[in-house]
Amino acid sequence: DTEVTQTPKHLVMGMTNKKSLKCEQHMGHRAMYWYKQKAKKPPELMFVYSYEKLSINESVPSRFSPECPNSSLLNLHLHALQPEDSALYLCASSEGETVFNQPQHFGDGTRLSIL
Amino acid sequence: GQNIDQPTEMTATEGAIVQINCTYQTSGFNGLFWYQQHAGEAPTFLSYNVLDGLEEKGRFSSFLSRSKGYSYLLLKELQMKDSASYLCAVRDPGYGQNFVFGPGTRLSVLP
């Protein structure tokens, strides 16, 4: 069991669909992250929220839209995705930018398949 | 720029010892983390080094040399369940205090 909860665990969608991935943590962490991970590759950073403000956007296509409704929740809205967007999407949290010795805690991920 | 290197794959025998190396060049350094990731699962935290030297945690140890930009993860008494990918990640103040991941090393433990 992980302390970061992601839903859904699996998602299959067509290229014209709109869906959202959800992430929740109750550890009081102030930084939350979205990563994309392809098979046999490391996680690639997509977005970082620090104290509920978007602090890093790694030139991700606009068909991915993050949202941080409050300090415990992180969403990733998906629209008009492409087949190459099929991947494992990981959410992570950490205590914050000034707490260096604490690791990120990852959720189990959402396995996304685009048809 | 940021660059982290690890061997792509390693194979070892059950009961043996294996050392997984990680070299890094980042604009800054606020610690190096090792994670284990089984296929299709989330990465889980193994160890953290910020000062030079060896940190030991049961069967796992991690070493850091900041002057050489080098770390290794040592796994002793290997078990089949240790077959996984091992990721090193550097916390980089030049990257908003975010984590820069290496490519990962896929370890296969054979009976």
Side-chain angles (χ1 to χ4, degrees):
Chain A
D1 288 345
T2 59
E3 297 164 312
V4 178
T5 305
Q6 288 188 245
T7 55
K9 293 197 183 305
H10 301 276
L11 179 62
V12 179
M13 57 188 285
M15 288 191 283
T16 58
N17 292 156
K18 283 186 185 180
K19 296 283 186 185
S20 296
L21 310 185
K22 297 187 183 300
C23 175
E24 189 169 3
Q25 57 89 13
H26 293 289
M27 294 178 281
H29 288 175
R30 303 316 301 264
M32 295 187 76
Y33 311 76
W34 279 116
Y35 288 89
K36 173 184 177 181
Q37 188 175 27
K38 295 284 230 182
K40 299 184 180 181
K41 297 289 186 184
E44 297 173 35
L45 185 63
M46 299 175 73
F47 302 105
V48 181
Y49 275 84
S50 180
Y51 292 85
E52 300 163 52
K53 287 188 169 42
L54 184 64
S55 67
I56 286 196
N57 175 350
E58 287 288 295
S59 301
V60 177
S62 59
R63 56 187 185 266
F64 296 91
S65 173
E67 179 196 16
C68 189
N70 60 55
S71 59
S72 300
L73 293 174
L74 187 65
N75 298 323
L76 186 63
H77 303 298
L78 315 172
H79 174 53
L81 295 194
Q82 303 297 309
E84 62 264 28
D85 298 322
S86 297
L88 180 68
Y89 288 83
L90 291 164
C91 172
S93 69
S94 67
E95 288 205 21
E97 291 176 347
T98 58
V99 185
F100 303 146
N101 65 344
Q102 295 301 310
Q104 291 179 308
H105 295 252
F106 285 85
D108 286 334
T110 294
R111 176 76 56 192
L112 177 66
S113 299
I114 307 299
L115 301 180
Chain B
Q2 300 146 335
N3 186 49
I4 301 184
D5 257 328
Q6 299 178 241
T8 306
E9 292 188 18
M10 298 183 73
T11 303
T13 306
E14 201 174 9
I17 298 173
V18 72
Q19 177 175 311
I20 302 174
N21 295 327
C22 171
T23 57
Y24 64 89
Q25 292 172 310
T26 53
S27 53
F29 182 84
N30 267 334
L32 187 144
F33 297 79
W34 283 95
Y35 290 87
Q36 179 191 60
Q37 186 177 25
H38 287 99
E41 297 182 11
T44 54
F45 169 68
L46 290 177
S47 70
Y48 168 75
N49 295 74
V50 69
L51 299 176
D52 290 352
L54 191 67
E55 294 283 340
E56 298 190 72
K57 266 190 184 184
R59 293 191 299 117
F60 291 21
S61 304
S62 56
F63 172 82
L64 176 68
S65 168
R66 288 172 297 169
S67 61
K68 294 181 180 175
Y70 168 69
S71 174
Y72 67 71
L73 180 70
L74 195 70
L75 292 77
K76 303 174 193 170
E77 300 167 19
L78 280 174
Q79 302 174 9
M80 300 296 288
K81 66 178 182 179
D82 298 328
S83 293
S85 284
Y86 291 85
L87 300 159
C88 73
V90 171
R91 190 152 204 180
D92 186 355
Y95 186 48
Q97 298 294 356
N98 289 303
F99 298 78
V100 182
F101 279 89
T105 299
R106 285 194 304 281
L107 174 66
S108 299
V109 179
L110 306 177

Short mmCIF file of all heavy atoms in Angstrom, two decimals, chain B residues 52-93:
data_model
loop_
_atom_site.label_atom_id
_atom_site.label_comp_id
_atom_site.label_asym_id
_atom_site.label_seq_id
_atom_site.Cartn_x
_atom_site.Cartn_y
_atom_site.Cartn_z
N ASP B 52 29.56 12.64 2.04
CA ASP B 52 30.41 11.56 1.53
C ASP B 52 30.41 10.40 2.53
O ASP B 52 30.43 10.59 3.74
CB ASP B 52 31.84 12.06 1.35
CG ASP B 52 31.97 13.03 0.20
OD1 ASP B 52 30.99 13.21 -0.55
OD2 ASP B 52 33.05 13.62 0.05
N GLY B 53 30.44 9.21 1.96
CA GLY B 53 30.55 8.04 2.82
C GLY B 53 29.47 7.04 2.56
O GLY B 53 28.72 7.12 1.59
N LEU B 54 29.42 6.07 3.44
CA LEU B 54 28.55 4.92 3.29
C LEU B 54 27.37 5.00 4.27
O LEU B 54 27.56 5.26 5.45
CB LEU B 54 29.36 3.65 3.57
CG LEU B 54 28.74 2.30 3.24
CD1 LEU B 54 28.57 2.14 1.73
CD2 LEU B 54 29.61 1.17 3.79
N GLU B 55 26.18 4.74 3.75
CA GLU B 55 24.99 4.62 4.58
C GLU B 55 24.51 3.18 4.48
O GLU B 55 24.33 2.68 3.37
CB GLU B 55 23.87 5.55 4.08
CG GLU B 55 24.16 7.03 4.21
CD GLU B 55 23.99 7.54 5.63
OE1 GLU B 55 23.30 6.86 6.42
OE2 GLU B 55 24.56 8.59 5.96
N GLU B 56 24.30 2.54 5.61
CA GLU B 56 23.90 1.13 5.59
C GLU B 56 22.50 0.96 6.15
O GLU B 56 22.14 1.54 7.17
CB GLU B 56 24.88 0.28 6.41
CG GLU B 56 26.29 0.32 5.84
CD GLU B 56 27.22 -0.69 6.47
OE1 GLU B 56 27.07 -1.88 6.19
OE2 GLU B 56 28.10 -0.26 7.23
N LYS B 57 21.70 0.14 5.42
CA LYS B 57 20.33 -0.14 5.85
C LYS B 57 20.07 -1.61 5.57
O LYS B 57 19.59 -1.96 4.50
CB LYS B 57 19.34 0.69 5.01
CG LYS B 57 18.90 2.00 5.56
CD LYS B 57 17.75 2.51 4.70
CE LYS B 57 17.28 3.86 5.12
NZ LYS B 57 16.11 4.32 4.35
N GLY B 58 20.37 -2.44 6.51
CA GLY B 58 20.12 -3.87 6.33
C GLY B 58 20.96 -4.43 5.20
O GLY B 58 22.17 -4.26 5.15
N ARG B 59 20.30 -5.08 4.24
CA ARG B 59 21.04 -5.68 3.11
C ARG B 59 21.49 -4.64 2.10
O ARG B 59 22.27 -4.94 1.21
CB ARG B 59 20.15 -6.71 2.40
CG ARG B 59 19.81 -7.94 3.21
CD ARG B 59 19.16 -9.01 2.35
NE ARG B 59 17.91 -8.57 1.74
CZ ARG B 59 17.72 -8.46 0.42
NH1 ARG B 59 18.72 -8.72 -0.43
NH2 ARG B 59 16.54 -8.09 -0.06
N PHE B 60 20.97 -3.42 2.21
CA PHE B 60 21.28 -2.38 1.22
C PHE B 60 22.20 -1.33 1.84
O PHE B 60 22.00 -0.91 2.97
CB PHE B 60 19.99 -1.69 0.76
CG PHE B 60 19.06 -2.55 -0.08
CD1 PHE B 60 19.13 -3.93 -0.06
CD2 PHE B 60 18.10 -1.96 -0.89
CE1 PHE B 60 18.28 -4.70 -0.83
CE2 PHE B 60 17.24 -2.73 -1.67
CZ PHE B 60 17.33 -4.10 -1.62
N SER B 61 23.19 -0.91 1.07
CA SER B 61 24.07 0.18 1.48
C SER B 61 24.22 1.12 0.30
O SER B 61 24.16 0.68 -0.86
CB SER B 61 25.47 -0.33 1.85
OG SER B 61 25.40 -1.31 2.85
N SER B 62 24.44 2.39 0.58
CA SER B 62 24.69 3.34 -0.51
C SER B 62 25.87 4.22 -0.13
O SER B 62 26.04 4.60 1.02
CB SER B 62 23.45 4.18 -0.80
OG SER B 62 23.02 4.85 0.36
N PHE B 63 26.67 4.51 -1.15
CA PHE B 63 27.91 5.27 -0.97
C PHE B 63 27.85 6.51 -1.83
O PHE B 63 27.29 6.49 -2.93
CB PHE B 63 29.10 4.40 -1.38
CG PHE B 63 30.41 5.15 -1.43
CD1 PHE B 63 31.14 5.36 -0.27
CD2 PHE B 63 30.89 5.67 -2.63
CE1 PHE B 63 32.34 6.07 -0.31
CE2 PHE B 63 32.08 6.37 -2.68
CZ PHE B 63 32.81 6.58 -1.51
N LEU B 64 28.47 7.58 -1.35
CA LEU B 64 28.52 8.83 -2.12
C LEU B 64 29.92 9.44 -2.05
O LEU B 64 30.53 9.49 -0.97
CB LEU B 64 27.52 9.84 -1.56
CG LEU B 64 27.52 11.23 -2.19
CD1 LEU B 64 27.02 11.18 -3.63
CD2 LEU B 64 26.68 12.21 -1.37
N SER B 65 30.40 9.91 -3.21
CA SER B 65 31.57 10.77 -3.28
C SER B 65 31.16 12.01 -4.07
O SER B 65 31.00 11.95 -5.30
CB SER B 65 32.73 10.06 -3.98
OG SER B 65 33.76 11.00 -4.30
N ARG B 66 31.00 13.11 -3.39
CA ARG B 66 30.56 14.34 -4.08
C ARG B 66 31.63 14.89 -5.00
O ARG B 66 31.33 15.42 -6.08
CB ARG B 66 30.16 15.39 -3.04
CG ARG B 66 28.84 15.08 -2.33
CD ARG B 66 28.60 16.04 -1.19
NE ARG B 66 29.63 15.90 -0.16
CZ ARG B 66 29.79 16.74 0.84
NH1 ARG B 66 28.98 17.78 0.97
NH2 ARG B 66 30.73 16.54 1.75
N SER B 67 32.89 14.77 -4.61
CA SER B 67 33.97 15.31 -5.44
C SER B 67 34.06 14.56 -6.78
O SER B 67 34.45 15.14 -7.79
CB SER B 67 35.31 15.25 -4.72
OG SER B 67 35.65 13.91 -4.42
N LYS B 68 33.67 13.29 -6.77
CA LYS B 68 33.73 12.50 -8.00
C LYS B 68 32.38 12.43 -8.71
O LYS B 68 32.29 11.86 -9.79
CB LYS B 68 34.21 11.08 -7.70
CG LYS B 68 35.65 11.02 -7.20
CD LYS B 68 36.09 9.60 -6.93
CE LYS B 68 37.54 9.59 -6.45
NZ LYS B 68 38.00 8.25 -6.06
N GLY B 69 31.34 12.99 -8.10
CA GLY B 69 30.01 12.88 -8.71
C GLY B 69 29.60 11.44 -8.89
O GLY B 69 29.13 11.03 -9.95
N TYR B 70 29.76 10.65 -7.83
CA TYR B 70 29.64 9.20 -7.94
C TYR B 70 28.94 8.62 -6.73
O TYR B 70 29.19 9.04 -5.59
CB TYR B 70 31.05 8.61 -8.07
CG TYR B 70 31.16 7.12 -7.92
CD1 TYR B 70 30.63 6.26 -8.87
CD2 TYR B 70 31.80 6.56 -6.81
CE1 TYR B 70 30.73 4.89 -8.73
CE2 TYR B 70 31.91 5.18 -6.66
CZ TYR B 70 31.39 4.36 -7.64
OH TYR B 70 31.49 3.00 -7.50
N SER B 71 28.07 7.67 -7.00
CA SER B 71 27.40 6.94 -5.94
C SER B 71 27.27 5.49 -6.37
O SER B 71 27.32 5.17 -7.56
CB SER B 71 26.00 7.53 -5.70
OG SER B 71 25.26 6.75 -4.77
N TYR B 72 27.15 4.61 -5.39
CA TYR B 72 26.76 3.24 -5.71
C TYR B 72 25.79 2.71 -4.69
O TYR B 72 25.77 3.15 -3.54
CB TYR B 72 27.97 2.31 -5.87
CG TYR B 72 28.78 2.02 -4.62
CD1 TYR B 72 28.29 1.23 -3.59
CD2 TYR B 72 30.07 2.53 -4.49
CE1 TYR B 72 29.05 0.95 -2.45
CE2 TYR B 72 30.84 2.27 -3.35
CZ TYR B 72 30.32 1.49 -2.34
OH TYR B 72 31.08 1.22 -1.22
N LEU B 73 25.00 1.75 -5.14
CA LEU B 73 24.08 1.01 -4.28
C LEU B 73 24.60 -0.42 -4.20
O LEU B 73 24.85 -1.04 -5.23
CB LEU B 73 22.66 1.02 -4.86
CG LEU B 73 21.59 0.29 -4.07
CD1 LEU B 73 21.27 1.05 -2.78
CD2 LEU B 73 20.30 0.16 -4.91
N LEU B 74 24.80 -0.90 -2.99
CA LEU B 74 25.32 -2.25 -2.77
C LEU B 74 24.20 -3.12 -2.21
O LEU B 74 23.59 -2.78 -1.19
CB LEU B 74 26.50 -2.20 -1.80
CG LEU B 74 27.38 -3.42 -1.70
CD1 LEU B 74 28.20 -3.56 -2.99
CD2 LEU B 74 28.32 -3.31 -0.50
N LEU B 75 23.92 -4.21 -2.88
CA LEU B 75 22.90 -5.13 -2.41
C LEU B 75 23.58 -6.45 -2.03
O LEU B 75 24.24 -7.08 -2.85
CB LEU B 75 21.86 -5.41 -3.49
CG LEU B 75 20.93 -4.28 -3.93
CD1 LEU B 75 21.62 -3.28 -4.83
CD2 LEU B 75 19.71 -4.86 -4.62
N LYS B 76 23.39 -6.86 -0.77
CA LYS B 76 24.02 -8.09 -0.28
C LYS B 76 22.98 -9.19 -0.17
O LYS B 76 21.77 -8.94 -0.10
CB LYS B 76 24.62 -7.86 1.11
CG LYS B 76 25.64 -6.75 1.17
CD LYS B 76 26.08 -6.50 2.60
CE LYS B 76 26.83 -5.20 2.72
NZ LYS B 76 27.08 -4.82 4.12
N GLU B 77 23.47 -10.43 -0.15
CA GLU B 77 22.60 -11.60 0.04
C GLU B 77 21.38 -11.50 -0.88
O GLU B 77 20.23 -11.54 -0.43
CB GLU B 77 22.15 -11.70 1.51
CG GLU B 77 23.30 -11.84 2.49
CD GLU B 77 22.85 -11.63 3.94
OE1 GLU B 77 21.63 -11.73 4.21
OE2 GLU B 77 23.73 -11.36 4.78
N LEU B 78 21.67 -11.38 -2.15
CA LEU B 78 20.61 -11.15 -3.13
C LEU B 78 19.51 -12.20 -3.04
O LEU B 78 19.77 -13.40 -2.87
CB LEU B 78 21.18 -11.14 -4.53
CG LEU B 78 21.85 -9.85 -4.98
CD1 LEU B 78 22.50 -10.04 -6.34
CD2 LEU B 78 20.85 -8.69 -5.01
N GLN B 79 18.28 -11.71 -3.21
CA GLN B 79 17.11 -12.57 -3.25
C GLN B 79 16.40 -12.37 -4.58
O GLN B 79 16.57 -11.33 -5.24
CB GLN B 79 16.17 -12.24 -2.09
CG GLN B 79 16.83 -12.36 -0.72
CD GLN B 79 15.94 -11.89 0.42
OE1 GLN B 79 14.76 -11.61 0.24
NE2 GLN B 79 16.53 -11.79 1.62
N MET B 80 15.61 -13.37 -4.95
CA MET B 80 14.91 -13.29 -6.24
C MET B 80 14.04 -12.02 -6.30
O MET B 80 13.94 -11.38 -7.35
CB MET B 80 14.04 -14.53 -6.46
CG MET B 80 14.81 -15.83 -6.47
SD MET B 80 15.96 -15.94 -7.83
CE MET B 80 14.83 -16.15 -9.18
N LYS B 81 13.47 -11.64 -5.17
CA LYS B 81 12.59 -10.47 -5.16
C LYS B 81 13.33 -9.16 -5.39
O LYS B 81 12.71 -8.11 -5.57
CB LYS B 81 11.84 -10.39 -3.83
CG LYS B 81 12.74 -10.12 -2.62
CD LYS B 81 11.93 -10.00 -1.35
CE LYS B 81 12.83 -9.67 -0.16
NZ LYS B 81 12.07 -9.54 1.11
N ASP B 82 14.67 -9.20 -5.36
CA ASP B 82 15.45 -7.99 -5.65
C ASP B 82 15.53 -7.70 -7.14
O ASP B 82 16.05 -6.65 -7.55
CB ASP B 82 16.88 -8.13 -5.09
CG ASP B 82 16.90 -8.28 -3.58
OD1 ASP B 82 16.00 -7.71 -2.90
OD2 ASP B 82 17.80 -8.97 -3.06
N SER B 83 15.02 -8.61 -7.97
CA SER B 83 14.96 -8.34 -9.42
C SER B 83 14.01 -7.17 -9.64
O SER B 83 12.81 -7.25 -9.35
CB SER B 83 14.44 -9.57 -10.18
OG SER B 83 15.35 -10.64 -10.09
N ALA B 84 14.57 -6.07 -10.14
CA ALA B 84 13.81 -4.82 -10.29
C ALA B 84 14.70 -3.81 -11.00
O ALA B 84 15.87 -4.10 -11.30
CB ALA B 84 13.41 -4.27 -8.91
N SER B 85 14.14 -2.64 -11.27
CA SER B 85 14.95 -1.52 -11.73
C SER B 85 15.36 -0.67 -10.55
O SER B 85 14.57 -0.50 -9.61
CB SER B 85 14.17 -0.66 -12.73
OG SER B 85 14.09 -1.29 -13.97
N TYR B 86 16.58 -0.16 -10.59
CA TYR B 86 17.10 0.68 -9.51
C TYR B 86 17.44 2.04 -10.12
O TYR B 86 18.21 2.16 -11.07
CB TYR B 86 18.31 0.03 -8.86
CG TYR B 86 17.89 -1.20 -8.09
CD1 TYR B 86 17.77 -2.43 -8.73
CD2 TYR B 86 17.54 -1.12 -6.74
CE1 TYR B 86 17.32 -3.56 -8.06
CE2 TYR B 86 17.09 -2.24 -6.06
CZ TYR B 86 16.98 -3.45 -6.72
OH TYR B 86 16.52 -4.57 -6.05
N LEU B 87 16.80 3.08 -9.57
CA LEU B 87 16.92 4.43 -10.10
C LEU B 87 17.69 5.29 -9.11
O LEU B 87 17.38 5.29 -7.91
CB LEU B 87 15.53 5.05 -10.28
CG LEU B 87 14.58 4.33 -11.23
CD1 LEU B 87 13.13 4.70 -10.92
CD2 LEU B 87 14.89 4.71 -12.66
N CYS B 88 18.70 6.02 -9.60
CA CYS B 88 19.28 7.04 -8.74
C CYS B 88 18.73 8.39 -9.19
O CYS B 88 18.45 8.60 -10.38
CB CYS B 88 20.80 7.00 -8.72
SG CYS B 88 21.65 7.58 -10.17
N ALA B 89 18.55 9.28 -8.25
CA ALA B 89 17.97 10.59 -8.52
C ALA B 89 18.70 11.63 -7.68
O ALA B 89 18.94 11.41 -6.49
CB ALA B 89 16.48 10.60 -8.20
N VAL B 90 19.03 12.74 -8.28
CA VAL B 90 19.72 13.84 -7.60
C VAL B 90 18.75 14.99 -7.39
O VAL B 90 18.00 15.35 -8.32
CB VAL B 90 20.94 14.33 -8.43
CG1 VAL B 90 21.52 15.61 -7.82
CG2 VAL B 90 21.99 13.24 -8.50
N ARG B 91 18.74 15.52 -6.19
CA ARG B 91 17.92 16.72 -5.92
C ARG B 91 18.79 17.92 -6.28
O ARG B 91 19.86 18.14 -5.71
CB ARG B 91 17.52 16.76 -4.46
CG ARG B 91 16.49 17.84 -4.20
CD ARG B 91 15.61 17.50 -3.05
NE ARG B 91 14.34 18.22 -3.17
CZ ARG B 91 13.35 18.14 -2.32
NH1 ARG B 91 13.44 17.37 -1.26
NH2 ARG B 91 12.24 18.82 -2.52
N ASP B 92 18.31 18.70 -7.25
CA ASP B 92 19.13 19.74 -7.87
C ASP B 92 18.54 21.12 -7.60
O ASP B 92 17.47 21.45 -8.12
CB ASP B 92 19.21 19.48 -9.38
CG ASP B 92 20.15 20.43 -10.09
OD1 ASP B 92 20.68 21.35 -9.44
OD2 ASP B 92 20.36 20.24 -11.30
N PRO B 93 19.22 21.96 -6.80
CA PRO B 93 18.70 23.30 -6.55
C PRO B 93 18.66 24.15 -7.81
O PRO B 93 17.92 25.12 -7.89
CB PRO B 93 19.68 23.88 -5.52
CG PRO B 93 20.90 23.04 -5.61
CD PRO B 93 20.46 21.69 -6.07
#
